[in-house]
Amino acid sequence: MARFTLPRDVYHGKGALEALKTFEGKKAIVCVGGGSMKKFGFLDKVVSYLKEAGMEVELFEGIEPDPSVDTVMKGAEAMQKFGPDWIVAIGGGSPIDAAKAMWIKYEYPDTTFEDMCKVFGLPKLRTKAKFCAISSTSGTATEVTAFSIITDYNKGIKYPIADFEITPDVAIVDPELAHTMPQKLVAHTGMDAITHAIEAYVSTANCDYTDPLALHAIEMIQADLVGSYNGDMDKRDAMHNAQCLAGMAFSNALLGIVHSMAHKTGAAFADHGAHIIHGAANAMYLPKVIAFNAKDPAALKRYGKIADVMNLGGSSDEEKVKLLIDYLRKMNDDLNIPHCIKNYGADSYPTEQGFVPEDVFLDRLHDIAANAILDACTGSNPRQPSQEEMEKLLKCCYYDTEVDF
């Protein structure tokens, strides 16, 4: 028996934010990140609509990118004091992911972060509050997923929390919020979205319910991402829907080792002054992982189907995989994303010498590979890597060398 879970309601299209007026409850806490939602007036709208619905509203502001365990604990403490029956998270993946983890701790105060990280091991939520997610970026799709990514900075590791209990009750997918994204964020979130769709389609947990969502998301992203990056707001609107469809697919079909590697390298070199931004990591690693996974016959066939949907040509599945990899690398070029860690600058743009020194990478390689194998996303990858294979794959992602194993 398999399960397919989505939010109870998805409000989408311009003006969807007004759905908040219809919410029923006494208290709502609004979790938000830096300043963009306030700067562009969306935070004020959220508060106004919730008050119009008759609720007392409190804010929890300043959730950082790549939210920390400490932030989660502080937010949960604020919720304990306020006692909301609605948790409303607005912004990119970071504030929504953080609020999901806060929600767990709010409902079960004795829960530790280690407890949260037990895959599909959470107790029943909604004993105190319901959850609404409002996405302002077009990539993570956390507004419709059963996942949350939280960083333990003491260990330099990003941990995925995975459980259908944290699938939001309500998702609001209003494209007007996505108009505020800076160009670099459009690129990174867009490549995150296409990685979600491709990994969901080749995952060992794919099914008839997830395949159409994944394939249509791929078609839309192919048609609209580069145009959205270059300022076409109609394509920006389409991308906001496409990333949500990709999220619906991967939340149920799960992901693969592109994400495992991105999770475990993202903060691994923070002591050298920067993170490898999640969407950029996915973009760099995806072509390498496709080449690795395509050695599996079932995955090879599915990558061939993706190439067919994208009209890339090719007479054999092997040829189609090569064309798919070439296409994705060209997308990275069009979006100003480097091809490998060696050339990944601290600002995320391509550079001759990236911020991660070779000797540091090699020194940490064994532990990064071991942690990637243990990541929650590895189990549904179509080809299970050994420690040696994961290390070799990560080296390919550092040097941009061919995957021939």
Side-chain angles (χ1 to χ4, degrees), residues 158-160 256 259-260 263-264 370-379:
K158 293 183 178 183
Y159 288 95
H259 273 77
S260 303
H263 292 154
K264 298 330 183 200
N371 288 327
I373 288 170
L374 293 173
D375 188 89
C377 296
T378 300

Side-chain angles (χ1 to χ4, degrees), residues 70-83:
D70 287 345
T71 295
V72 168
M73 298 307 166
K74 287 174 186 173
E77 188 179 343
M79 291 177 187
Q80 291 289 351
K81 289 177 181 175
F82 182 58

Side-chain angles (χ1 to χ4, degrees), residues 106-150:
Y106 168 52
E107 300 240 353
Y108 295 94
D110 293 335
T111 299
T112 65
F113 181 64
E114 289 71 24
D115 292 334
M116 294 183 196
C117 293
K118 293 172 184 172
V119 178
F120 294 98
L122 293 178
K124 290 283 183 187
L125 297 182
R126 297 162 184 81
T127 63
K128 294 181 181 178
K130 291 182 179 179
F131 193 98
C132 171
I134 308 165
S135 178
S136 66
T137 61
S138 302
T140 69
T142 188
E143 72 275 8
V144 294
T145 75
F147 295 91
S148 164
I149 308 299
I150 304 298

Side-chain angles (χ1 to χ4, degrees), residues 9 29 46 51 67 120 151 193 200 229 286 298 302 340 343 345 400:
D9 293 299
I29 190 166
V46 166
K51 287 182 176 177
F120 294 98
T151 303
Y229 176 77
L286 179 59
R302 285 195 155 245
C340 63
N343 300 132
D400 190 23

Side-chain angles (χ1 to χ4, degrees), residues 60-64 67-76 98 102:
F60 184 84
E61 300 182 77
I63 297 170
E64 74 276 30
S68 66
V69 177
D70 287 345
T71 295
V72 168
M73 298 307 166
K74 287 174 186 173
M102 293 171 191

Side-chain angles (χ1 to χ4, degrees), residues 156-158 258-270 274-278 281-282 284-285 341 355-356 361 365 368-369 371-372 394 397:
I157 295 175
K158 293 183 178 183
V258 178
H259 273 77
S260 303
M261 293 157 64
H263 292 154
K264 298 330 183 200
T265 53
F269 309 102
H275 278 211
I276 302 175
I277 296 170
H278 179 71
N282 283 340
M284 293 189 294
Y285 307 163
I341 299 170
F355 84 94
V356 181
F361 172 80
L365 176 61
I368 292 170
N371 288 327
L394 283 161
C397 293

